[in-house]
Amino acid sequence: MATDVKYRTDDASNNNVTGKKAQLFLKKAEVDLSFENLTYTVNTFSKFKKVKKEILHGINGCFRSGELTAIMGPSGCGKSTLLNVLAGYSISGSSGQVYLNDSLRDEKQMANISCYIQQDDYVRDLLTVRESMTVAAHLKLPTTESTTSKSGQVEDLLDALGLSIHGDTITKRLSGGQKKRLSIALELITNPSILFLDEPTTGLDSQSCSQFVSLMADLAHNQSRTMVCTLHQPSALLFEKFDQIYALSTGQCIYQGPSNLVIPYFSERTIVCPPYHNPADFLIEVAIGEYGTDVLAKLADTTKTTYIKKHNNCHSISDDQELQLENGTCLKNNNIVVKKQGPLKNKSLNKPPYYLQAYHLYLRNVIMYKRNKTNLMLRIIAHFVIAIIFGYLYRGVGNDASVMISNMVFVYGTNLFLVYTGQMAVIVSFPLEYKVLKREHFNSWFKLFPYMISILLVEIPFQILCCLVYIVPSYIMTSQPLELMRFSYFTLFLVVTSLTSQSTGFLCGATLPVKVSVFVGPVFMVLLSVFGFAIRFTDIPAIYVWLHYFSFVRGSFQSLVYTLYGFNRGVLPCSDEMYCHYKNPIKFLTEMEFAQVNIYPEFFYICFFFLCTYVLTTTVIWYRLNKR
Ligand SMILES: Nc1ncnc2c1ncn2[C@@H]1O[C@H](COP(=O)(O)OP(=O)(O)OP(=O)(O)O)[C@@H](O)[C@H]1O
């Protein structure tokens, strides 16, 4: 990776590279993020009883614009929890005040000015780096900006983050560090004032880590961004690159201040760092309690009392190390003059309308579908192969009165096949998709409605294609009536049934964990099939009658049989010379209790089922995305 980056570890050259590029982007407000008495509580279970567990214990802090801050502490101390709460990713269970400059945080405003990059690099694997960036630009930048300006910004960002030469690389082929840079580039397109990063250096080698932290520092210093990230145990070199350290120990803050003052601060309190010791290791050792647990309680008390929110939003590491100035600034002991930020204005971004969001998401889906050729080809080939197998097994049954029952079994099998393939094709894919969707949605790329439309716009035509690949050969091979009207109805019913079944797959995938949904989805379909048509209506126990009416598979099956044998179909030829009981199709329909079937209400019921399932799916996804 060393050869591919445009920036270097040395800070001056970093400033040159991103500094120049930064001028091209819209200047964003400088935002100081501070919080007071922040508490986070979760519900856990102990001895089968619900108990509350407090993870953050009323902590205070301030992250300033133009600074790179690391939240550090031992594993399980609450770093990610704090980041989640500050970013607005976890809301329920939290209490306390979070301020953006001097005003209380507003969720909508926060979404406009910040972005959250999680530990796992949930990027779209099948897009190239440039394509990913272009889609992000179209979705996130104002519609007033021209396409040329957007692509200019994309190129500048790729350049600034050392990704230009990988512009045409598929993202799944990127290294870990490059993926992390891409996930930052994707969010930087709107030039957010605050960036939250959860363990951005995890999985990177020391050189990549160093380059990455330099890049983050660079992004903070240029354009005065507020960069906050969680960190495990960095090397001494890496540690120095951070402007501020916020150290946690079991949900309490034990230090906030410049990285170079960690050792003097602790030694002032008789906690002495051994010579030649990595200050980051020392900090973690203190936080774990290796220097005594009573020390931790004192440190937590001290940081609480020295947090002076009411004095210019400056948080000092100790009273004597901060000099308050009268003009609204405070002079820190590392000689940085910190300016008090003015109130934040609530600016609305001119985001693309729904139809444009759906359009760009649709184009993105088309590219991803095209790249996922193996999966697509497998789906098409599977439909074709089964069509040939079924067609061969049931050859000629469609026009022979002596094997009418066999033809009914063919219709039954066809219906089931398309119901299951429609459902299973999406039931597993959605949970994988959900992780990326959550990241993009949280970072305000688009609204859920256009996203759902964009999914349907690619899934529906493809499922229709799969249905046709199955229906045409099997229909011909089984010698079904070659009449346009019957063929059209037959195809129409199978297509809408398959799409409705697909919608139940989306619902299961969106609602349940994969392991449960792959079980529940098919079981649901079995129930609909059994109570739909595997039992005569008169034999269904009264308590299950509703299932008979509820089953769209039943409506589809009855309509398919009626389409083939109803509509005054004439007497059928009979291969059995002795006796043909069902020579006249109406006799067959009457005995099967299908003679009174009206296919039009059945069609509308299936469509209604389809719509309701999608409305329910969208509601469930919306709830999950907004449940924080
Ligand atoms: N929803 C939850 N239910 C129960 N416990 C939780 C929940 N969320 C977090 N915790 C607990 O809170 C503590 C802090 O978790 P958090 O993920 O913030 O730690 P961390 O400092 O980021 O750890 P690491 O560095 O290992 O990622 C942990 O003990 C964790 O088990």
Side-chain angles (χ1 to χ4, degrees):
M1 205 171 87
T3 52
D4 61 31
V5 285
K6 288 265 175 171
Y7 56 87
R8 302 229 288 272
T9 47
D10 131 290
D11 279 345
S13 56
N14 281 337
N15 288 349
N16 286 341
V17 178
T18 47
K20 261 187 267 155
K21 298 297 175 193
Q23 305 308 318
L24 297 163
F25 299 103
L26 213 65
K27 179 101 175 83
K28 275 279 170 86
E30 293 171 18
V31 183
D32 286 348
L33 176 79
S34 53
F35 48 99
E36 285 178 0
N37 203 18
L38 202 66
T39 305
Y40 186 72
T41 313
V42 289
N43 289 320
T44 54
F45 290 91
S46 169
K47 293 178 188 162
F48 305 106
K49 268 194 205 153
K50 206 165 147 185
V51 285
K52 293 220 176 282
K53 177 181 167 191
E54 197 173 271
I55 294 171
L56 301 176
H57 312 293
I59 52 176
N60 308 313
C62 176
F63 302 141
R64 287 189 213 89
S65 60
E67 287 183 351
L68 172 62
T69 304
I71 301 176
M72 286 182 61
S75 180
C77 67
K79 301 182 291 293
S80 303
T81 306
L82 174 59
L83 205 65
N84 285 343
V85 173
L86 291 178
Y89 200 72
S90 304
I91 292 176
S92 74
S94 68
S95 65
Q97 296 80 44
V98 180
Y99 297 94
L100 298 174
N101 292 343
D102 267 345
S103 355
L104 268 176
R105 177 182 68 181
D106 169 72
E107 220 185 298
K108 211 171 166 190
Q109 192 179 38
M110 188 72 178
N112 278 343
I113 61 158
S114 71
C115 72
Y116 186 16
I117 297 158
Q118 281 157 324
Q119 191 178 350
D120 301 291
D121 315 296
Y122 294 130
V123 286
R124 301 270 166 189
D125 274 353
L126 295 170
L127 295 181
T128 66
V129 170
R130 191 164 281 112
E131 284 163 356
S132 308
M133 289 291 292
T134 307
V135 175
H138 283 303
L139 289 171
K140 296 174 85 180
L141 289 176
T143 38
T144 43
E145 282 197 38
S146 67
T147 310
T148 326
S149 149
K150 284 175 189 166
S151 62
Q153 291 187 44
V154 166
E155 292 307 322
D156 291 337
L157 260 179
L158 290 180
D159 202 18
L161 272 77
L163 286 168
S164 280
I165 56 165
H166 302 291
D168 297 322
T169 307
I170 299 275
T171 54
K172 70 174 171 192
R173 308 239 181 274
L174 292 178
S175 71
Q178 289 160 351
K179 266 192 192 172
K180 286 197 195 297
R181 277 186 273 148
L182 174 62
S183 49
I184 291 195
L186 287 170
E187 302 308 335
L188 277 183
I189 201 94
T190 45
N191 199 11
S193 303
I194 308 175
L195 262 92
F196 298 99
L197 299 104
D198 194 11
E199 301 197 9
T201 54
T202 303
L204 301 186
D205 59 44
S206 61
Q207 192 191 16
S208 308
C209 267
S210 170
Q211 288 170 340
F212 193 77
V213 173
S214 295
L215 171 71
M216 290 198 295
D218 192 18
L219 290 170
H221 301 153
N222 288 306
Q223 293 241 320
S224 304
R225 285 191 188 93
T226 310
M227 301 276 292
V228 186
C229 67
T230 59
L231 210 61
H232 260 126
Q233 218 158 336
S235 68
L237 264 176
L238 214 58
F239 186 72
E240 273 177 15
K241 289 178 193 278
F242 287 89
D243 302 305
Q244 293 282 319
I245 302 295
Y246 190 90
L248 282 175
S249 164
T250 53
Q252 305 261 27
C253 174
I254 56 163
Y255 175 83
Q256 177 172 19
S259 55
N260 59 341
L261 289 180
V262 169
I263 293 177
Y265 177 77
F266 283 120
S267 68
E268 229 177 59
R269 282 152 186 84
T270 66
I271 311 163
V272 181
C273 178
Y276 310 112
H277 206 63
N278 174 0
D281 291 346
F282 171 62
L283 188 64
I284 300 293
E285 283 156 14
V286 174
I288 289 171
E290 283 195 11
Y291 291 81
T293 42
D294 50 333
V295 167
L296 289 176
K298 276 186 200 155
L299 286 170
D301 280 349
T302 316
T303 53
K304 252 185 196 162
T305 49
T306 54
Y307 174 79
I308 317 168
K309 168 74 177 75
K310 57 182 182 293
H311 290 154
N312 304 320
N313 289 345
C314 297
H315 176 67
S316 61
I317 57 167
S318 74
D319 289 339
D320 55 315
Q321 282 169 315
E322 179 181 279
L323 176 63
Q324 201 75 44
L325 299 179
E326 282 175 0
N327 62 352
T329 63
C330 50
L331 183 63
K332 300 296 298 180
N333 40 17
N334 56 352
N335 293 329
I336 298 170
V337 175
V338 185
K339 277 214 145 185
K340 187 185 172 187
Q341 305 296 354
L344 204 58
K345 286 186 190 118
N346 209 347
K347 269 193 205 162
S348 70
L349 295 174
N350 198 359
K351 289 249 176 177
Y354 279 16
Y355 76 92
L356 266 185
Q357 290 183 24
Y359 172 70
H360 291 299
L361 290 168
Y362 167 73
L363 291 186
R364 178 172 83 172
N365 289 342
V366 170
I367 297 174
M368 292 195 298
Y369 261 66
K370 277 189 191 163
R371 300 240 164 91
N372 198 3
K373 275 197 194 97
T374 321
N375 181 27
L376 297 191
M377 287 315 290
L378 271 177
R379 271 171 79 179
I380 291 181
I381 291 169
H383 280 82
F384 184 71
V385 170
I386 299 296
I388 300 300
I389 293 173
F390 275 25
Y392 178 74
L393 282 177
Y394 295 99
R395 61 189 180 280
V397 296
N399 197 29
D400 187 345
S402 65
V403 284
M404 227 175 232
I405 296 290
S406 298
N407 198 25
M408 193 157 129
V409 175
F410 161 72
V411 176
Y412 177 87
T414 293
N415 208 15
L416 274 194
F417 172 67
L418 292 178
V419 158
Y420 282 109
T421 50
Q423 189 188 59
M424 295 312 284
V426 293
I427 213 166
V428 191
S429 63
F430 191 78
L432 301 173
E433 165 74 19
Y434 182 74
K435 289 174 183 163
V436 198
L437 165 67
K438 187 154 187 182
R439 181 182 72 80
E440 293 177 344
H441 187 266
F442 182 75
N443 286 318
S444 311
W445 285 40
F446 45 74
K447 293 284 178 202
L448 185 58
F449 182 66
Y451 168 84
M452 290 301 288
I453 297 290
S454 76
I455 293 264
L456 296 189
L457 284 179
V458 284
E459 264 301 336
I460 289 181
F462 187 71
Q463 189 57 29
I464 293 176
L465 177 69
C466 288
C467 288
L468 290 177
V469 166
Y470 172 84
I471 294 167
V472 173
S474 62
Y475 192 89
I476 295 169
M477 286 174 78
T478 51
S479 306
Q480 305 300 338
L482 293 177
E483 292 169 38
L484 184 63
M485 185 269 282
R486 288 185 203 276
F487 175 74
S488 309
Y489 280 148
F490 191 79
T491 306
L492 194 65
F493 269 99
L494 281 175
V495 167
V496 290
T497 307
S498 174
L499 292 179
T500 307
S501 176
Q502 190 182 48
S503 69
T504 63
F506 270 119
L507 181 62
C508 288
T511 323
L512 304 163
V514 185
K515 283 182 187 165
V516 182
S517 62
V518 290
F519 171 74
V520 169
V523 166
F524 177 65
M525 281 306 162
V526 167
L527 272 181
L528 293 194
S529 309
V530 170
F531 289 100
F533 52 79
I535 183 168
R536 281 157 60 100
F537 180 73
T538 44
D539 296 336
I540 300 175
I543 54 163
Y544 296 123
V545 167
W546 66 272
L547 262 171
H548 175 85
Y549 289 109
F550 178 71
S551 171
F552 69 91
V553 195
R554 185 262 322 149
S556 161
F557 177 67
Q558 291 184 348
S559 304
L560 288 169
V561 175
Y562 191 85
T563 298
L564 295 179
Y565 292 118
F567 297 115
N568 301 322
R569 189 167 175 190
V571 172
L572 292 180
C574 184
S575 62
D576 190 336
E577 288 167 10
M578 299 287 288
Y579 176 67
C580 258
H581 187 66
Y582 294 127
K583 213 168 167 47
N584 194 343
I586 193 68
K587 190 173 177 187
F588 174 73
L589 289 179
T590 310
E591 281 191 19
M592 290 292 143
E593 299 174 348
F594 289 177
Q596 303 305 320
V597 167
N598 187 347
I599 65 166
Y600 304 107
E602 298 294 0
F603 178 77
F604 287 115
Y605 174 67
I606 300 172
C607 294
F608 176 70
F609 202 105
F610 168 86
L611 277 179
C612 289
T613 316
Y614 272 115
V615 170
L616 195 59
T617 308
T618 311
T619 313
V620 169
I621 299 175
W622 179 88
Y623 175 75
R624 282 182 68 191
L625 288 175
N626 289 287
K627 189 177 130 229
R628 297 193 217 129

Coordinates of all heavy atoms in Angstrom, one line a residue, residues 204-245:
L204 N -5.3 -3.3 10.1 CA -4.2 -2.7 9.3 C -2.8 -3.0 9.8 O -2.7 -3.0 11.1 CB -4.4 -1.2 9.2 CG -5.8 -0.7 8.6 CD1 -5.7 0.8 8.4 CD2 -6.1 -1.3 7.3
D205 N -1.8 -3.1 9.0 CA -0.5 -3.3 9.5 C 0.0 -1.9 10.0 O -0.6 -0.9 9.8 CB 0.4 -3.8 8.4 CG 0.5 -3.0 7.2 OD1 0.6 -1.7 7.3 OD2 0.4 -3.5 6.0
S206 N 1.2 -1.9 10.6 CA 1.6 -0.7 11.3 C 1.8 0.5 10.3 O 1.5 1.6 10.6 CB 2.9 -0.9 12.1 OG 3.9 -1.3 11.2
Q207 N 2.4 0.2 9.1 CA 2.6 1.3 8.1 C 1.3 1.8 7.7 O 1.1 3.1 7.6 CB 3.4 0.7 7.0 CG 3.9 1.9 6.1 CD 4.5 1.4 4.8 OE1 4.2 0.2 4.4 NE2 5.2 2.2 4.1
S208 N 0.3 0.9 7.3 CA -1.0 1.4 6.9 C -1.7 2.2 8.0 O -2.3 3.2 7.7 CB -1.9 0.2 6.5 OG -1.2 -0.6 5.6
C209 N -1.5 1.7 9.2 CA -2.1 2.4 10.4 C -1.6 3.9 10.4 O -2.4 4.8 10.6 CB -1.7 1.8 11.7 SG -2.8 0.6 12.2
S210 N -0.3 4.0 10.3 CA 0.4 5.3 10.5 C -0.1 6.2 9.3 O -0.5 7.4 9.6 CB 1.9 5.0 10.4 OG 2.5 6.3 10.3
Q211 N -0.2 5.7 8.1 CA -0.6 6.5 7.0 C -2.1 6.9 7.2 O -2.5 8.0 6.9 CB -0.5 5.7 5.7 CG 1.0 5.5 5.3 CD 1.1 4.6 4.1 OE1 0.2 3.8 3.9 NE2 2.2 4.7 3.4
F212 N -2.9 5.9 7.7 CA -4.3 6.2 7.9 C -4.5 7.3 8.9 O -5.3 8.2 8.7 CB -5.0 4.9 8.2 CG -6.5 5.0 8.1 CD1 -7.1 5.0 6.9 CD2 -7.3 5.2 9.2 CE1 -8.4 5.1 6.8 CE2 -8.6 5.3 9.1 CZ -9.2 5.3 7.9
V213 N -3.8 7.2 10.1 CA -4.0 8.2 11.1 C -3.5 9.5 10.7 O -4.1 10.6 11.0 CB -3.3 7.7 12.4 CG1 -3.3 8.8 13.5 CG2 -3.9 6.5 13.0
S214 N -2.4 9.6 9.9 CA -1.9 10.8 9.3 C -3.0 11.5 8.5 O -3.3 12.7 8.5 CB -0.7 10.6 8.5 OG 0.4 10.2 9.3
L215 N -3.7 10.6 7.7 CA -4.7 11.1 6.8 C -5.9 11.7 7.6 O -6.4 12.8 7.3 CB -5.3 10.0 5.9 CG -6.5 10.3 5.1 CD1 -6.2 11.2 4.0 CD2 -7.1 9.0 4.6
M216 N -6.2 11.0 8.7 CA -7.3 11.5 9.6 C -6.9 12.8 10.2 O -7.8 13.7 10.3 CB -7.6 10.5 10.7 CG -8.3 9.2 10.1 SD -9.1 8.3 11.4 CE -7.8 7.8 12.4
A217 N -5.7 12.9 10.7 CA -5.2 14.2 11.3 C -5.3 15.3 10.3 O -5.7 16.4 10.6 CB -3.8 14.0 11.8
D218 N -4.9 14.9 9.1 CA -4.9 15.9 8.0 C -6.3 16.4 7.7 O -6.5 17.6 7.5 CB -4.3 15.1 6.8 CG -4.0 16.0 5.6 OD1 -3.8 17.2 5.9 OD2 -3.9 15.5 4.5
L219 N -7.2 15.4 7.7 CA -8.6 15.8 7.4 C -9.2 16.7 8.5 O -10.1 17.5 8.3 CB -9.5 14.5 7.3 CG -9.2 13.7 6.0 CD1 -9.9 12.4 6.1 CD2 -9.6 14.5 4.8
A220 N -8.7 16.4 9.8 CA -9.2 17.3 10.9 C -8.6 18.7 10.8 O -9.3 19.7 10.9 CB -8.8 16.6 12.2
H221 N -7.3 18.8 10.5 CA -6.6 20.1 10.6 C -7.1 20.9 9.4 O -7.3 22.1 9.5 CB -5.1 19.9 10.6 CG -4.6 19.1 11.7 ND1 -3.5 18.4 11.7 CD2 -5.2 18.9 13.0 CE1 -3.3 17.8 12.9 NE2 -4.4 18.0 13.7
N222 N -7.2 20.3 8.2 CA -7.7 21.1 7.1 C -9.2 21.3 7.2 O -9.9 20.3 7.5 CB -7.4 20.4 5.8 CG -5.9 20.4 5.5 OD1 -5.3 21.5 5.4 ND2 -5.3 19.3 5.3
Q223 N -9.7 22.4 7.0 CA -11.1 22.7 7.1 C -11.7 22.5 8.5 O -13.0 22.4 8.6 CB -11.9 21.8 6.1 CG -11.5 22.2 4.6 CD -12.7 22.6 3.9 OE1 -13.8 22.1 4.0 NE2 -12.6 23.6 3.0
S224 N -10.9 22.4 9.5 CA -11.4 22.3 10.9 C -12.5 21.3 11.1 O -13.5 21.6 11.6 CB -11.9 23.7 11.3 OG -10.8 24.6 11.2
R225 N -12.3 20.1 10.6 CA -13.2 19.0 10.9 C -13.1 18.5 12.3 O -12.0 18.5 12.9 CB -13.1 17.9 10.0 CG -13.6 18.2 8.6 CD -13.6 16.9 7.8 NE -13.9 17.2 6.4 CZ -13.0 17.4 5.5 NH1 -11.7 17.3 5.8 NH2 -13.3 17.8 4.3
T226 N -14.1 18.0 12.9 CA -14.0 17.3 14.2 C -14.0 15.8 13.9 O -14.9 15.3 13.4 CB -15.3 17.6 15.0 OG1 -15.5 19.0 15.0 CG2 -15.2 17.2 16.5
M227 N -12.8 15.3 14.2 CA -12.6 13.8 13.9 C -12.5 13.1 15.2 O -11.7 13.4 16.1 CB -11.3 13.6 13.1 CG -11.2 14.3 11.8 SD -12.0 13.5 10.5 CE -11.0 12.0 10.2
V228 N -13.4 12.1 15.4 CA -13.4 11.3 16.7 C -13.4 9.9 16.3 O -14.2 9.4 15.5 CB -14.7 11.6 17.5 CG1 -14.6 10.9 18.8 CG2 -14.9 13.1 17.7
C229 N -12.4 9.1 16.8 CA -12.4 7.7 16.6 C -12.0 6.9 17.8 O -11.5 7.4 18.7 CB -11.4 7.4 15.4 SG -9.7 7.7 15.9
T230 N -12.5 5.7 17.8 CA -12.1 4.8 18.9 C -10.8 4.0 18.5 O -10.6 3.8 17.3 CB -13.2 3.8 19.2 OG1 -13.4 3.0 18.0 CG2 -14.5 4.4 19.6
L231 N -10.1 3.7 19.5 CA -8.8 3.1 19.2 C -8.4 2.1 20.3 O -8.8 2.3 21.4 CB -7.7 4.2 19.2 CG -6.5 4.2 18.4 CD1 -6.9 4.1 16.9 CD2 -5.6 5.4 18.6
H232 N -7.8 1.0 19.9 CA -7.4 0.0 20.9 C -6.1 0.4 21.6 O -6.1 1.2 22.5 CB -7.3 -1.4 20.3 CG -8.5 -2.1 20.6 ND1 -9.3 -2.7 19.6 CD2 -9.2 -2.4 21.8 CE1 -10.4 -3.3 20.2 NE2 -10.3 -3.1 21.5
Q233 N -5.0 -0.1 21.1 CA -3.7 0.1 21.8 C -2.7 0.5 20.7 O -2.0 -0.3 20.2 CB -3.2 -1.1 22.5 CG -2.6 -0.8 23.8 CD -2.6 -1.9 24.8 OE1 -3.5 -2.8 24.7 NE2 -1.7 -2.0 25.7
P234 N -2.6 1.8 20.4 CA -1.7 2.2 19.3 C -0.2 2.2 19.7 O 0.1 2.2 20.9 CB -2.2 3.7 19.0 CG -2.7 4.1 20.3 CD -3.2 3.0 21.0
S235 N 0.7 2.3 18.8 CA 2.1 2.4 19.0 C 2.3 3.8 19.5 O 1.5 4.7 19.4 CB 2.9 2.1 17.8 OG 2.6 3.2 16.9
A236 N 3.5 4.1 20.1 CA 3.8 5.4 20.6 C 3.8 6.4 19.5 O 3.3 7.6 19.7 CB 5.2 5.4 21.3
L237 N 4.3 6.0 18.3 CA 4.3 6.9 17.2 C 2.9 7.4 16.8 O 2.6 8.5 16.5 CB 5.0 6.3 16.0 CG 6.5 6.6 15.8 CD1 7.1 5.8 14.7 CD2 6.7 8.1 15.6
L238 N 2.1 6.4 16.7 CA 0.7 6.6 16.3 C 0.0 7.5 17.3 O -0.8 8.4 17.0 CB 0.0 5.2 16.2 CG -1.1 5.1 15.1 CD1 -0.5 5.3 13.8 CD2 -1.7 3.7 15.2
F239 N 0.2 7.2 18.6 CA -0.4 7.9 19.7 C -0.1 9.4 19.6 O -1.0 10.2 19.8 CB 0.2 7.3 21.0 CG -0.5 7.8 22.3 CD1 -1.8 7.4 22.6 CD2 0.2 8.7 23.1 CE1 -2.4 7.9 23.8 CE2 -0.4 9.2 24.2 CZ -1.7 8.8 24.6
E240 N 1.1 9.7 19.3 CA 1.5 11.1 19.2 C 0.7 11.9 18.1 O 0.6 13.1 18.2 CB 3.0 11.2 18.8 CG 3.9 11.1 20.0 CD 5.4 11.1 19.5 OE1 5.6 11.5 18.4 OE2 6.2 10.8 20.4
K241 N 0.3 11.2 17.1 CA -0.4 11.9 16.0 C -1.8 12.4 16.4 O -2.4 13.2 15.7 CB -0.6 10.9 14.8 CG 0.7 10.6 14.1 CD 0.5 9.6 13.0 CE 1.7 9.0 12.5 NZ 2.4 9.8 11.5
F242 N -2.3 11.9 17.5 CA -3.6 12.4 18.0 C -3.5 13.7 18.7 O -2.6 13.8 19.6 CB -4.3 11.3 18.8 CG -4.8 10.2 18.0 CD1 -4.0 9.1 17.8 CD2 -6.1 10.2 17.4 CE1 -4.4 8.0 17.0 CE2 -6.5 9.1 16.7 CZ -5.7 8.0 16.4
D243 N -4.4 14.6 18.4 CA -4.4 15.9 19.1 C -4.9 15.7 20.6 O -4.4 16.3 21.5 CB -5.2 16.9 18.4 CG -4.8 17.1 17.0 OD1 -3.6 17.4 16.8 OD2 -5.6 16.9 16.1
Q244 N -6.0 15.0 20.7 CA -6.6 14.8 22.0 C -6.9 13.3 22.2 O -7.1 12.6 21.3 CB -8.0 15.5 22.0 CG -7.9 17.0 21.9 CD -7.6 17.7 23.2 OE1 -8.1 17.3 24.3 NE2 -6.7 18.7 23.2
I245 N -6.8 13.0 23.5 CA -7.1 11.6 23.9 C -8.3 11.7 24.9 O -8.3 12.6 25.8 CB -5.9 11.0 24.6 CG1 -4.7 11.0 23.7 CG2 -6.2 9.6 25.1 CD1 -4.8 10.1 22.5

